[in-house]
Amino acid sequence: MAVDSFKNITMSFKGTGLNAIIDDVTVTRYATSLKGLTLEQANLALSTTQLSAREKELILTEAGLITSTQTLTAQEMVSSFQKEIGNKKDAERILIRAKLVTATELEKDATVKLTLAQIQEAVTKGRLSVEDAKLLTTTFGITGANYGEAVSFEVLTKAIWGSVIALGKFLTT
């Protein structure tokens, strides 16, 4: 079992202090221990460690369990997402609103690619909630995004431009 093999892994780090992260050899050792597990099983096994979220992400990527792109049929996408949110119609509505799949692709059960960039764009343009984005990335094993930062940056940008416009109006009066 993966959890048992974790006990035999000697960890080494790159960096020091708060910036320290496990090195490539340690990542490979953990990834090797996860071979043959599903993403869900691997996440459960890694939850028994004190690794950071970033370190777990590196290990899952090395193990080939997560990626930045997923290719599947439109119906597979809906079905998998439905398992997370509990309702097929809601899953379809969210995916179509986020422009991650079209109604035509659903009807034809076309093969579609779901990428991290698509999910990030949908979040920043307000077509997809941060919570749904996290569910999608977890469901499909897509990694690399920090949605909190993406949304915060978008809000910050709008606030700055609002201040610039207000200042401009003040200076012209």
Side-chain angles (χ1 to χ4, degrees):
M1 175 169 224
V3 175
D4 293 331
S5 65
F6 289 170
K7 295 174 186 171
N8 299 322
I9 296 175
T10 304
M11 293 177 45
S12 51
F13 296 88
K14 298 187 280 191
T16 58
L18 295 175
N19 295 324
I21 189 164
I22 58 175
D23 69 4
D24 297 338
V25 173
T26 305
V27 169
T28 301
R29 288 178 185 153
Y30 273 104
T32 301
S33 297
L34 298 175
K35 292 294 181 195
L37 299 180
T38 66
L39 177 59
E40 184 178 4
Q41 292 167 331
N43 275 323
L44 183 61
L46 289 172
S47 72
T48 65
T49 68
Q50 293 184 3
L51 297 168
S52 70
R54 177 67 183 133
E55 290 167 332
K56 290 175 186 177
E57 182 180 300
L58 289 170
I59 292 164
L60 292 171
T61 301
E62 176 74 18
L65 293 169
I66 56 177
T67 180
S68 63
T69 304
Q70 190 67 263
T71 302
L72 61 166
T73 69
Q75 289 299 327
E76 288 172 332
M77 184 186 300
V78 169
S79 178
S80 295
F81 193 48
Q82 172 190 348
K83 290 175 187 173
E84 296 300 317
I85 64 171
N87 182 313
K88 182 177 180 177
K89 290 293 180 194
D90 286 344
E92 288 177 352
R93 182 184 49 77
I94 290 167
L95 294 170
I96 290 170
R97 185 183 71 224
K99 297 185 180 180
L100 300 175
V101 69
T102 66
T104 304
E105 289 170 331
L106 283 172
E107 287 175 22
K108 294 181 179 181
D109 197 22
T111 299
V112 295
K113 282 192 178 197
L114 180 63
T115 67
L116 180 59
Q118 289 172 309
I119 294 171
Q120 287 174 324
E121 179 182 349
V123 170
T124 58
K125 291 188 175 182
R127 298 187 311 245
L128 185 65
S129 72
V130 173
E131 294 78 20
D132 286 339
K134 287 179 183 177
L135 275 175
L136 283 168
T137 57
T138 302
T139 301
F140 297 108
I142 298 173
T143 186
N146 185 334
Y147 297 102
E149 287 179 11
V151 171
S152 297
F153 180 75
E154 184 74 15
V155 170
L156 180 61
T157 302
K158 286 179 181 176
I160 290 170
W161 275 111
S163 297
V164 168
I165 291 168
L167 180 61
K169 287 180 180 177
F170 172 76
L171 292 174
T172 58
T173 56

